[in-house]
Amino acid sequence: MPAPRVFEAWAAELADLVATHFAPGARTGQEGALSSSPAHDPSAEQITDVDVDEDSATVRSVIQTAGNTTYYYEYQLLRGDDGWRISQLSTFLDPPGTPLIDPARAEALMQSATPEAILPDLQAHLRLRGAHGLGLGFG
């Protein structure tokens, strides 16, 4: 099948998937992407948490790919006349609640942030730029 037809077929399949499982206006995040293996597989994706609040819900899941990459998903769902629909789908590489930096390091940074604190020297490949001296440029 020529490449344009492959993309057309993929777009049609994705449109069917969205029409079946997603709320109006929601996106899968896979638009414009073509993969040889699906991002979601009911036989491999494990539901880890479900939180229902009347007509909305959050469902979290985890899946480990054949390449040993673990993906964490969070589905935001809305209940409509025809059942539950996905309103938002987010993908993460770390489990929910994982801090971006170590809590002890975050506390040390907060303690060092005072009006009198001296800013560290910029790394050699960074420079201040702009009419107002705002923003970092890469040189």
Side-chain angles (χ1 to χ4, degrees):
M1 186 180 294
R5 293 182 69 189
V6 169
F7 286 107
E8 289 171 9
W10 168 249
E13 286 187 32
L14 194 58
D16 287 344
L17 178 97
V18 169
T20 302
H21 299 288
F22 284 74
R27 298 171 39 95
T28 68
Q30 296 296 309
E31 294 79 8
L34 183 63
S35 175
S36 60
S37 58
H40 303 271
D41 178 354
S43 67
E45 192 168 345
Q46 178 185 358
I47 303 297
T48 59
D49 186 46
V50 176
D51 182 25
V52 179
D53 184 15
E54 296 185 19
D55 290 336
S56 66
T58 301
V59 176
R60 292 185 182 89
S61 68
V62 62
I63 190 169
Q64 186 161 6
T65 66
N68 282 333
T69 301
T70 302
Y71 292 101
Y72 300 88
Y73 295 106
E74 183 174 275
Y75 300 82
Q76 297 295 320
L77 305 174
L78 296 175
R79 186 186 342 235
D81 294 338
D82 58 349
W84 290 98
R85 295 290 188 115
I86 301 168
S87 61
Q88 183 176 347
L89 173 58
S90 302
T91 306
F92 305 95
L93 295 174
D94 291 306
T98 301
L100 293 175
I101 63 173
D102 176 71
R105 176 74 179 126
E107 181 61 28
L109 286 171
M110 292 302 291
Q111 293 301 322
S112 69
T114 66
E116 299 82 27
I118 297 174
L119 293 174
D121 291 332
L122 287 175
Q123 297 173 9
H125 67 284
L126 299 176
R127 62 182 166 74
L128 290 176
R129 65 179 174 97
H132 304 290
L134 300 176
L136 289 177
F138 296 91

